Amino acid sequence: SAVISQKPSRDICQRGTSLTIQCQVDSQVTMMFWYRQQPGQSLTLIATANQGSEATYESGFVIDKFPISRPNLTFSTLTVSNMSPEDSSIYLCSVEDLMNEQFFGPGTRLTVL
Amino acid sequence: QKEVEQNSGPLSVPEGAIASLNCTYSDRGSQSFFWYRQYSGKSPELIMSIYSNGDKEDGRFTAQLNKASQYVSLLIRDSQPSDSATYLCAVNAGRRALTFGSGTRLQVQP
């Protein structure tokens, strides 16, 4: 499976600021996704990162709050904008392989004070 | 009704026993089914995928799928303390992204 890295691995941020999370894959992939895992909960899809076009957001998530870039087939960023304590979560990127199986990066643990 | 349902547990089994984890889903159009293992503080790790009715075995793990009953399960034979984790059931209903259940916490007692 592809090797996926995320930066930063964790961060503590102040309310009202923004954080950009990077996801890098060691091979070209068609499908990349961003998920959120709030404390003690399961994973919720934020959006599908589309290469060369705007991301596709799930209900409850908007581009102004979670802008996503996908400049090529190995890289994507997720920005968490104007953060509040409710945004404290683990943010995970995932990629889909040719067998339609998804693999996750190590995650970014975000704490908003 | 949640799209993917799992018993949150904890499910406690003695070492060496069979652990049985269950999952039901609501979308009859679901095509692909996955089991992930997540250790505390780590990201989910894919352990099994299953696409057609019946059983699929991989080492100590067996996934079972029954599309008529909208039910998928994971059996772990000869459970080890290292199997203690949260097991997430995920379903793909044809839209590529996965819908996850809330997870079942498994505790294997030495």
Side-chain angles (χ1 to χ4, degrees):
Chain A
S1 59
V3 176
I4 308 166
S5 61
Q6 285 186 235
K7 286 196 286 188
S9 59
R10 59 177 62 230
D11 208 341
I12 301 173
C13 301
Q14 295 298 319
R15 181 196 299 260
T17 62
S18 298
L19 176 72
T20 295
I21 302 167
Q22 299 179 5
C23 179
Q24 179 76 54
V25 191
D26 69 343
S27 59
Q28 292 187 339
V29 293
T30 303
M31 303 299 292
M32 291 182 75
F33 306 92
W34 286 98
Y35 290 82
R36 179 175 75 181
Q37 187 171 32
Q38 295 181 299
Q41 300 198 20
S42 191
L43 283 75
T44 301
L45 179 68
I46 297 171
T48 302
N50 301 309
Q51 195 269 328
S53 64
E54 195 170 281
T56 304
Y57 290 85
E58 297 299 297
S59 175
F61 297 96
V62 295
I63 188 171
D64 289 348
K65 175 67 176 178
F66 297 101
I68 289 170
S69 77
R70 178 91 191 271
N72 55 53
L73 293 177
T74 65
F75 186 79
S76 178
T77 67
L78 167 74
T79 298
V80 186
S81 303
N82 188 25
M83 289 184 284
S84 67
E86 292 72 33
D87 294 320
S88 296
S89 285
I90 299 173
Y91 291 86
L92 296 141
C93 71
S94 74
V95 303
E96 185 180 83
D97 69 3
L98 295 176
M99 299 293 292
N100 300 124
E101 295 177 335
Q102 283 193 28
F103 299 91
F104 286 85
T108 296
R109 184 180 295 272
L110 171 62
T111 302
V112 183
L113 303 178
Chain B
Q1 180 188 6
K2 290 183 181 177
E3 294 182 52
V4 181
E5 295 213 41
Q6 295 180 256
N7 188 318
S8 61
L11 173 65
S12 186
V13 300
E15 184 174 355
I18 296 175
S20 178
L21 304 160
N22 304 313
C23 171
T24 59
Y25 59 94
S26 61
D27 188 338
R28 285 197 171 273
S30 299
Q31 302 169 356
S32 310
F33 307 85
F34 306 91
W35 284 99
Y36 288 83
R37 178 176 62 198
Q38 187 173 28
Y39 293 113
S40 180
K42 301 293 186 183
S43 65
E45 171 194 8
L46 180 65
I47 53 173
M48 289 289 286
S49 59
I50 188 166
Y51 305 97
S52 55
N53 282 328
D55 295 359
K56 179 181 178 182
E57 186 175 318
D58 184 1
R60 295 186 297 114
F61 299 99
T62 298
Q64 300 175 317
L65 175 61
N66 183 326
K67 289 186 178 180
S69 299
Q70 295 175 245
Y71 176 92
V72 58
S73 65
L74 179 70
L75 301 178
I76 306 174
R77 290 181 299 281
D78 189 23
S79 295
Q80 301 297 309
S82 59
D83 294 325
S84 297
T86 296
Y87 289 80
L88 300 166
C89 173
V91 175
N92 185 325
R95 51 191 292 273
R96 309 304 285 275
L98 297 175
T99 301
F100 283 84
S102 57
T104 298
R105 189 157 61 95
L106 173 65
Q107 295 177 340
V108 180
Q109 306 295 337

